[in-house]
Each structure stands twice: as structure tokens, then as C-alpha cells.
């Protein structure tokens, strides 16, 4: 394969996934690690991507992400990574906790790994509420408007319902994580729910796979210093100076 052909394939993969692993490229292009490293170095020097430890990420430090994918679409993305994040997140739950679990695919996976302990949950995701109740946990749901794309309850009534709670821990999803924008989501109503939970939680965990980094959505609901981020693998170590981040893969 010609060098420029490899460059084109590498850039297309980064464009699609926002990041790519070195070993993944070696298998895809049937090339050695040293060859792919040289390719990434050249493309980095041209400003077409950013070379990081173990691979590369999009050259755009902050890609704007204006849309919210539906739950079915999200469930097909980064499944192994989300399961690893969910498994570790569930291990953080203790007896006597009063916990908020956000809507989302990764938070949904977390339920299957929860220990059999005396825990009370609040969730704005009606699918999650059913799964938690089937596991035998005490579950509360806030009032509000149903948002079908995320299968969540949102709106002013939801925010009002949550304001009286004091959570020991909360587990939230996010659409974007960046140094300038903090933790973001595309929808203002979602953001109001999440920011209320952040304000009323002792400890806030953001469950986010690597694709959420260097992304900005329309509304910020938390700053990096207020939360603990659980991810599969951190591609860019610059975030370690600004946030508490746990890698689980």
C-alpha cells in the first residue's frame, strides 16, 4: 500500500471515531508499529491529527457536537468501553448510599453490576427505574416531561423534584468534555436536571468513554474540578492537570 493511501485511511478513521489506536491501525493497514508511528508523526506535523500516546485523536481540540443521538444509536457505540466503565462505577456504591443515576447507555449498563446492598436510588430514566426495581432496590422518580430520544424525564417539574434531595453520589452521562467548556450536553432541559444533581451531590461521577473528550455541546452543566471522570482510556494527558480521572482499560 502506498504511503498516501495509508494517510487517507488513517485520517478517515480518525474523522469517523474522533480517535484511533496504534494497534488498531497496524491491523487495519497490515503495517508495523514503527511505520504507523512515522505516519502519525507526519500527519501530526501537517496539522491533520494530533498524535497521542498509543494512537491519535482529531486535530480539532474542541469539536462542536450540537445533536443528541437516540438511545438505540448510542447503544451500538463503544460497548466494551462502556461496560468496563459501568463495572468500575458500580464498585463505588456503598451500603446506605442515596444515589442519583442519570439516563444514558453507560449508566444503564451499570445497573447489572450493582452489588446487593442497601441502597436507595433516584433516576430520571424510566427504563433504569424499572431495572433497579427488578433488582430489588428502593427507587424514586422525579415528576416532569418525558424526552423520548434519551428516555428521560426533564423539565421544570423534574428540577423542582430534585432540589430537595441530598445525594451521597451521582452518576451522570455527558456528551462533551473539554478544558474550555467543562462537562456539556446539547439540551438545555437536560443540562438543568444535571446541574441540579451536581449541586445536590457530595460526589459526582461522570461516566464517559474516550470519544467524549475534546468535544463541546451547547450547554455546560459542570466544571471539570467539581466532578470525577471515569473513562476507558484517556488519549490526551492534558486533562490530568485539571480533572480527577480514572481510566479502567
Amino acid at each position: 500500500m502506498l504511503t498516501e493511501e495509508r494517510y487517507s485511511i488513517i485520517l478517515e478513521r480518525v474523522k469517523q471515531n474522533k480517535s484511533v489506536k496504534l494497534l488498531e491501525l497496524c491491523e487495519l493497514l497490515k503495517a508495523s508499529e514503527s511505520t504507523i508511528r512515522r505516519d502519525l508523526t507526519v500527519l501530526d506535523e501537517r496539522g491533520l491529527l494530533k498524535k497521542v500516546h498509543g494512537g491519535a485523536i482529531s486535530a480539532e481540540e474542541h469539536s462542536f457536537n450540537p445533536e443528541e443521538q437516540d438511545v438505540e444509536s448510542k447503544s451500538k457505540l463503544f460497548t466494551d468501553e462502556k461496560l468496563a466503565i459501568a463495572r468500575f462505577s458500580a464498585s463505588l456504591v456503598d451500603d446506605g448510599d442515596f444515589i442519583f443515576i442519570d439516563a444514558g447507555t453507560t449508566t444503564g449498563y451499570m445497573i447489572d453490576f450493582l452489588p446487593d446492598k442497601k441502597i436507595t436510588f433516584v433516576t430520571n430514566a424510566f427504563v433504569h427505574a424499572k431495572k433497579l426495581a427488578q433488582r430489588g432496590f428502593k427507587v424514586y422518580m422525579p415528576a416532569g416531561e418525558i424526552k423520548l430520544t434519551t428516555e428521560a424525564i426533564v423539565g421544570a417539574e423534574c428540577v423542582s423534584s430534585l432540589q430537595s434531595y441530598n445525594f451521597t453520589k451521582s452518576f451522570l452521562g455527558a456528551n462533551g468534555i473539554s478544558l474550555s467548556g467543562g462537562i456539556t450536553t446539547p439540551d438545555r432541559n437536560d443540562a438543568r436536571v444535571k446541574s441540579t444533581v451536581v449541586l445536590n451531590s457530595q460526589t459526582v461521577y461522570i461516566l464517559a468513554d474516550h470519544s467524549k473528550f475534546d468535544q463541546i455541546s451547547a450547554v455546560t452543566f459542570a466544571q471539570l474540578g467539581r466532578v470525577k471522570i471515569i473513562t476507558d482510556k484517556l488519549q490526551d494527558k492534558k486533562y490530568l492537570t485539571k480533572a480527577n480521572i480514572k481510566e479502567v482499560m
Side-chain angles (χ1 to χ4, degrees), residues 145-162:
E145 175 188 352
I146 291 177
K147 180 182 176 184
L148 283 179
T149 53
T150 55
E151 299 181 354
I153 297 172
V154 297
E157 286 183 274
C158 181
V159 170
S160 179
S161 297
L162 295 171

Side-chain angles (χ1 to χ4, degrees), residues 60-110:
E60 298 179 13
E61 182 181 0
H62 301 134
S63 298
F64 186 75
N65 181 11
E67 297 182 355
E68 177 78 74
Q69 292 180 303
D70 59 40
V71 173
E72 183 178 353
S73 297
K74 287 182 178 181
S75 67
K76 300 174 183 177
L77 301 173
F78 307 111
T79 303
D80 290 341
E81 290 87 343
K82 290 176 179 178
L83 286 170
I85 293 167
R87 184 181 291 106
F88 178 82
S89 299
S91 73
L92 301 173
V93 173
D94 296 311
D95 264 325
D97 270 336
F98 183 51
I99 291 174
F100 180 86
I101 289 189
D102 194 12
T105 53
T106 310
T107 51
Y109 290 141
M110 180 182 166

Side-chain angles (χ1 to χ4, degrees), residues 60-229:
E60 298 179 13
E61 182 181 0
H62 301 134
S63 298
F64 186 75
N65 181 11
E67 297 182 355
E68 177 78 74
Q69 292 180 303
D70 59 40
V71 173
E72 183 178 353
S73 297
K74 287 182 178 181
S75 67
K76 300 174 183 177
L77 301 173
F78 307 111
T79 303
D80 290 341
E81 290 87 343
K82 290 176 179 178
L83 286 170
I85 293 167
R87 184 181 291 106
F88 178 82
S89 299
S91 73
L92 301 173
V93 173
D94 296 311
D95 264 325
D97 270 336
F98 183 51
I99 291 174
F100 180 86
I101 289 189
D102 194 12
T105 53
T106 310
T107 51
Y109 290 141
M110 180 182 166
I111 297 171
D112 292 330
F113 299 109
L114 288 170
D116 293 325
K117 295 182 177 180
K118 188 176 181 180
I119 312 159
T120 301
F121 291 95
V122 177
T123 181
N124 66 327
F126 42 88
V127 175
H128 295 4
K130 180 179 179 180
K131 289 179 65 177
L132 287 164
Q134 288 173 334
R135 285 286 315 272
F137 296 113
K138 182 182 287 186
V139 187
Y140 294 96
M141 294 191 70
E145 175 188 352
I146 291 177
K147 180 182 176 184
L148 283 179
T149 53
T150 55
E151 299 181 354
I153 297 172
V154 297
E157 286 183 274
C158 181
V159 170
S160 179
S161 297
L162 295 171
Q163 284 174 338
S164 62
Y165 291 128
N166 297 295
F167 302 110
T168 56
K169 301 180 179 83
S170 59
F171 296 87
L172 306 176
N175 293 73
I177 299 173
S178 68
L179 294 182
S180 61
I183 317 298
T184 57
T185 188
D187 186 87
R188 182 172 176 269
N189 285 329
D190 283 336
R192 289 186 63 196
V193 171
K194 292 174 190 285
S195 61
T196 300
V197 171
V198 170
L199 184 64
N200 291 8
S201 299
Q202 293 178 15
T203 305
V204 180
Y205 296 101
I206 302 296
L207 282 54
D209 66 72
H210 65 275
S211 70
K212 304 300 175 60
F213 287 84
D214 289 335
Q215 299 286 312
I216 293 181
S217 287
V219 190
T220 298
F221 66 86
Q223 298 300 323
L224 291 175
R226 175 66 178 89
V227 303
K228 297 182 178 181
I229 301 172

